[in-house]
């Protein structure tokens, strides 16, 4: 292609036409990609919101769990219990609250924390302690 000051009017029209065709090709390609993105986005799996798959039975006790969780945080522990610790059953014997042996060993400390939790929460909530929804609610309250 000769320098731009040497191009004739016919040459400029030809270059303009080529550029318009190239632009139209790019617009068509862009439209195809946009449609493909829409299809991919529509087929993408939807994420469930937190707590959306919780049964109504568990949600019925949310208010009680919140109330008892606040009491637990104020009276016993300011921090949420480890989720693995919540999987342990209610201990049949835990050292009394006023004895230093309560926190001497890791196992006795864990059983004491679990005993405190079960003593504060209402008995009709005890079967929910092992549920993830329970742990989520208590963790949100204490943090």
């Amino acid at each position: 292609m000769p320098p731009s000051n040497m191009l004739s009017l016919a040459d400029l029209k030809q270059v303009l036409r080529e550029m318009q065709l190239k632009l139209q090709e790019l617009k068509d390609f862009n439209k195809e990609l946009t449609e493909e993105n829409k299809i991919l986005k529509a087929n993408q799996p939807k994420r469930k919101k937190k707590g959306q798959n919780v049964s109504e039975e568990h949600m019925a006790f949310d208010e009680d769990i919140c109330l008892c969780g606040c009491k637990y945080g104020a009276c016993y522990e300011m921090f949420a219990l480890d989720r693995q610790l919540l999987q342990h059953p209610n201990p049949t014997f835990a050292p009394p609250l006023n004895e230093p042996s309560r926190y001497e060993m890791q196992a006795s400390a864990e059983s004491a924390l679990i005993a405190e939790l079960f003593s504060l929460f209402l008995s009709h909530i005890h079967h929910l302690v092992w549920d993830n929804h329970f742990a989520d609610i208590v963790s949100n309250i204490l943090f």
Side-chain angles (χ1 to χ4, degrees):
M1 192 179 314
S4 60
N5 59 356
M6 300 251 182
L7 290 176
S8 67
L9 187 58
D11 291 335
L12 290 175
K13 286 182 181 181
Q14 181 64 29
V15 170
L16 179 63
R17 175 140 175 81
E18 289 172 7
M19 292 295 125
Q20 287 174 340
L21 291 173
K22 182 70 173 171
L23 178 63
Q24 188 59 45
E25 286 177 20
L26 291 173
K27 284 182 180 180
D28 292 341
F29 183 67
N30 188 21
K31 186 177 179 180
E32 288 174 19
L33 288 177
T34 304
E35 289 174 7
E36 187 177 332
N37 282 343
K38 286 179 185 178
I39 292 169
L40 289 173
K41 192 171 185 176
N43 291 336
Q44 195 173 25
K46 307 290 187 257
R47 294 179 67 189
K48 289 186 176 182
K49 292 181 181 177
K50 196 173 193 178
Q52 191 175 16
N53 56 353
V54 176
S55 69
E56 289 185 24
E57 176 196 358
H58 290 106
M59 292 180 75
F61 297 115
D62 282 359
E63 197 170 309
D64 292 339
I65 294 171
C66 289
L67 180 63
C68 292
C70 289
K71 287 181 186 177
Y72 179 78
C75 297
Y76 294 104
E77 288 290 321
M78 292 179 1
F79 305 103
L81 295 176
D82 184 22
R83 286 179 184 263
Q84 291 178 343
L85 194 58
L86 290 175
Q87 301 304 317
H88 295 292
N90 188 2
T92 53
F93 172 75
L97 185 61
N98 58 355
E99 288 188 22
S101 65
R102 186 176 183 91
Y103 295 103
E104 284 179 352
M105 294 182 295
Q106 180 72 23
S108 63
E110 287 177 356
S111 67
L113 288 172
I114 294 293
E116 291 168 355
L117 180 79
F118 276 97
S119 69
L120 188 63
F121 279 84
L122 305 171
S123 60
H124 66 276
I125 298 176
H126 287 183
H127 71 282
L128 299 175
V129 171
W130 301 283
D131 190 56
N132 283 333
H133 183 63
F134 176 89
D136 289 340
I137 292 174
V138 174
S139 296
N140 287 341
I141 289 171
L142 296 178
F143 286 123

